[in-house]
């Protein structure tokens, strides 16, 4: 279900990435070990705009087995031609993955959203294990919802 | 027990050498497998039995007049006898092969449930049940209009017998509870449960998926009517499970699925059923799964299970006291009678994050609701992290878990 920024009672702040995906790849390449990579990923999640508790509803819930994820879709402020989303999770790493999805998808045109291959992008960051359909952490379901909403 | 009646010293290194996967590394670290409650690793003898069957002794069972089919049939039926002895069932005809414990419970819900449970009858479950011992009864409720009642749990995860006694009565037709909780490790007082249930005329089904792994099970001594378990948690292959039921019950129950091998005679006017267990094994059964489970039972009979259980209890005690010393960790499930399963939560760290970070240290634990969402709700958590231990685990692996948890705190907090 598509929810525009103006239609939401709380008017949730959509993710507006400050860096490009290319910059994200460069930043990830700086880290030698997985600890630092996870720390950076978690930091990205911490910088996400606040997701209002009132939107953590069953309707906005994305099915994941191990953690909870909520997602609403809409448009960047004042630009209905582009796609944007806001999301949250109770798990730090999943929140970081949401931030990566934000860099990939939030603020893009519907055509760009349709053409982006998240699997290849996650592989470039060394995070591809998190996008496998067998990892039921909600990321795959989030991507499906993002693509469907942008195409609607 | 040896001839002198003393438990031998449990040689865990010797045991570990029987499980080839335990020698491998994950992310460049030695594998620390603490998820045996989800599925246990397999000894070489089980892997060999599967390979030998497919390589040398394989054919369909109960059909061929030729040597190979006779061999496969004998091996399949030998496996049934091994299961019978392992759980001390009165007869091999009381042992039904299924594709897993889930199918075994669904079989009882469909067959026994639809034949003997009517609108208004009550089924009593416990608060700690796995979804596989909840959902089949909800389906039965939809089909029959029966009522589900839930026996409560104490804050430490122990079963409250008094509350249980208060909610059962003449309307109770079935009590279906876990032998051992997969989340909390609680060993339920199943003998007392069975005694109280039978005093009101109810049948008792025990979900033995965890119980059979950590306890020596004698179904006649437990006093239950149905006991189900899966092969893969008992060091055997996936795709094989056991339904044990008293002969008179199996004989009274209608078939669950129709097909080949479960009939006596078939005509378009009338078909008559084969006696149990064939009545409940329609189609080609999980032949190699059954033979593999038989090999797993042979393996368990070859080790000192009393010493193995004592070793598991030692691991659990060591894990509980070590985990309690990690700042911010709260143990979930501290009942007095417990098997080697420990759930916990860590302040500020989601179980999913913990399991993901622990994986980088080679430590495999489970995170999530463990297919027990009603229990999570009762505990007031959305998920837990669970470490479960088998006799092939070591104290050093418990220490590796603790070290990995402390490292995870550095990364996550």
């Amino acid at each position: 279900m598509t929810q525009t920024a103006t239609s939401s009672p709380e008017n949730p702040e959509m993710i507006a990435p400050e860096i490009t995906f290319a910059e994200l790849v460069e930043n990830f390449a700086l880290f030698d070990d997985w600890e630092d990579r996870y720390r950076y990923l978690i930091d990205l999640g911490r910088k996400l705009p606040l997701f209002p508790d009132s939107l953590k509803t069953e309707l906005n819930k994305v099915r994941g087995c191990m953690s909870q994820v909520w997602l609403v879709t809409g448009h960047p402020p004042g630009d209905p031609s582009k796609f944007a989303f806001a999301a949250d999770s109770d798990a730090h790493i999943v929140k970081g993955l949401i931030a990566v999805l934000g860099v990939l998808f939030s603020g893009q045109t519907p055509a760009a959203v349709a053409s982006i291959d998240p699997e290849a992008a996650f592989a470039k960051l060394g995070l591809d294990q998190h996008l496998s359909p067998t990892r039921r952490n909600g990321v795959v379901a989030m991507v499906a919802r993002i693509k469907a909403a942008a195409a609607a | 027990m040896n001839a002198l009646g003393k438990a031998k010293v449990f040689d865990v290194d010797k045991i570990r050498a029987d499980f080839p996967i335990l020698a491998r590394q994950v992310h460049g670290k030695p594998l620390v497998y603490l998820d045996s409650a989800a599925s246990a690793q397999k000894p070489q003898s089980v892997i060999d039995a599967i390979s030998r069957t497919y390589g040398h002794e394989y054919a369909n069972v109960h059909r061929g007049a030729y040597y190979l089919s006779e061999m496969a049939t004998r091996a399949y039926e030998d496996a049934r006898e091994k299961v019978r002895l392992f759980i001390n069932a009165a007869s091999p005809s009381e042992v039904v092969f299924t594709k897993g414990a889930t199918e075994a419970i669904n079989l009882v819900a469909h067959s026994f449930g639809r034949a003997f449970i009517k609108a208004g009858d009550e089924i009593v479950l416990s608060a700690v049940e796995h979804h596989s011992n909840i959902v089949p009864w909800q389906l039965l409720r939809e089909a029959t209009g029966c009522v589900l009642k839930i026996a409560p749990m104490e804050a430490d995860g122990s079963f409250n017998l008094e509350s249980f006694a208060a909610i059962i009565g003449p309307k109770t037709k079935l009590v279906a509870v876990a032998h051992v909780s997969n989340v909390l490790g609680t060993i339920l007082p199943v003998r007392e449960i069975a005694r109280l249930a039978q005093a009101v005329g109810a049948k008792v089904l025990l979900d033995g998926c965890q119980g059979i792994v950590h306890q020596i099970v004698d179904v006649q001594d437990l006093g239950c009517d149905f006991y189900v378990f899966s092969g893969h948690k008992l060091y055997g292959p996936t795709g094989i499970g056991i339904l044990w039921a008293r002969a008179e019950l199996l004989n009274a129950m209608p078939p669950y699925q129709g097909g080949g091998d479960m009939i006596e005679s078939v005509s378009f006017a009338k078909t008559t059923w084969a006696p149990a267990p064939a009545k409940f094994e329609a189609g080609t059964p999980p032949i190699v799964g059954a033979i593999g489970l038989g090999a797993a039972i042979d393996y368990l009979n070859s080790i000192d299970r009393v010493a193995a259980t004592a070793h598991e209890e030692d691991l659990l005690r060591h894990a509980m006291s070590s985990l309690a010393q990690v700042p911010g960790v709260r143990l979930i499930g501290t009942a007095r009678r417990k098997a080697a399963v420990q759930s916990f939560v860590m302040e500020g760290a989601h179980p999913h994050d913990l399991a993901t970070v622990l994986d980088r240290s080679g430590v495999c634990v489970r995170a999530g609701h463990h297919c027990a969402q009603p229990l999570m709700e009762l505990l007031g958590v959305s998920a837990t992290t669970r470490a479960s231990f088998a006799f092939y685990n070591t104290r050093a692996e418990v220490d590796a878990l603790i070290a990995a948890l402390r490292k995870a705190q550095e990364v996550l907090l």
Side-chain angles (χ1 to χ4, degrees), chain B residues 156-178:
Chain B
D156 68 353
S158 56
F159 185 85
N160 188 323
L161 265 177
E162 280 174 28
S163 312
F164 171 72
I167 66 167
I168 57 170
K171 284 185 176 173
T172 311
K173 289 293 177 292
L174 180 75
V175 172
V177 296

Side-chain angles (χ1 to χ4, degrees), chain B residues 115-161:
Chain B
F116 298 107
I117 292 178
K118 308 275 176 290
D121 286 350
E122 292 172 2
I123 298 175
V124 176
L125 313 177
S126 91
V128 304
E129 296 313 310
H130 189 282
H131 293 163
S132 63
N133 197 27
I134 300 173
V135 184
W137 308 116
Q138 290 175 328
L139 293 173
L140 181 65
R141 177 175 64 186
E142 278 170 28
T144 64
C146 70
V147 176
L148 299 187
K149 287 185 148 187
I150 309 303
M153 176 200 71
E154 300 292 303
D156 68 353
S158 56
F159 185 85
N160 188 323
L161 265 177

Side-chain angles (χ1 to χ4, degrees), chain A residues 2-140:
Chain A
T2 308
Q3 201 159 4
T4 60
T6 44
S7 72
S8 150
E10 296 249 355
N11 199 10
E13 192 183 337
M14 294 287 148
I15 299 173
E18 289 166 4
I19 54 172
T20 63
F21 182 69
E23 287 166 335
L24 196 61
V25 173
E26 274 176 41
N27 290 350
F28 265 87
L30 294 174
F31 305 116
D32 295 329
D33 55 21
W34 64 267
E35 286 103 323
D36 288 337
R37 204 166 289 145
Y38 275 137
R39 279 197 190 96
Y40 178 62
L41 186 67
I42 290 165
D43 270 346
L44 289 176
R46 288 201 171 112
K47 289 180 193 148
L48 283 174
L50 187 77
F51 190 90
D53 282 341
S54 62
L55 290 178
K56 292 180 182 172
T57 61
E58 273 305 305
L59 186 71
N60 292 333
K61 207 166 178 173
V62 177
R63 293 287 153 208
C65 187
M66 297 198 289
S67 58
Q68 303 189 78
V69 176
W70 300 270
L71 179 132
V72 293
T73 56
H75 309 285
D79 191 354
S81 71
K82 286 193 174 134
F83 168 83
F85 74 93
D88 198 3
S89 171
D90 55 351
H92 294 315
I93 290 173
V94 177
K95 240 179 129 161
L97 298 170
I98 288 171
V100 173
L101 291 178
V103 171
L104 281 174
F105 293 112
S106 203
Q108 302 290 330
T109 64
V113 169
S115 69
I116 290 162
D117 175 1
E119 233 167 295
F122 272 57
K124 273 190 192 154
L125 300 173
L127 294 172
D128 37 327
Q129 54 156 322
H130 293 287
L131 205 68
S132 116
T134 56
R135 296 281 288 222
R136 288 190 274 176
N137 55 16
V139 178
V140 174

Side-chain angles (χ1 to χ4, degrees), chain B residues 270-342:
Chain B
K270 182 169 172 58
T271 293
T272 54
W273 321 127
K279 178 166 66 174
F280 299 104
E281 294 181 4
T284 294
I287 301 165
V288 183
I291 294 169
L293 174 58
I297 289 172
D298 286 342
Y299 179 80
L300 289 167
N301 288 335
S302 78
I303 68 169
D304 182 343
R305 280 199 86 204
V306 174
T309 303
H311 173 68
E312 288 175 0
E313 282 167 2
D314 176 63
L315 292 174
L316 177 67
R317 276 194 304 274
H318 183 47
M320 287 177 83
S321 62
S322 307
L323 281 167
Q325 284 166 26
V326 179
V329 165
R330 179 162 65 94
L331 299 182
I332 307 267
T334 51
R336 201 175 52 78
R337 292 194 65 225
K338 266 194 68 165
V341 171
Q342 188 60 54

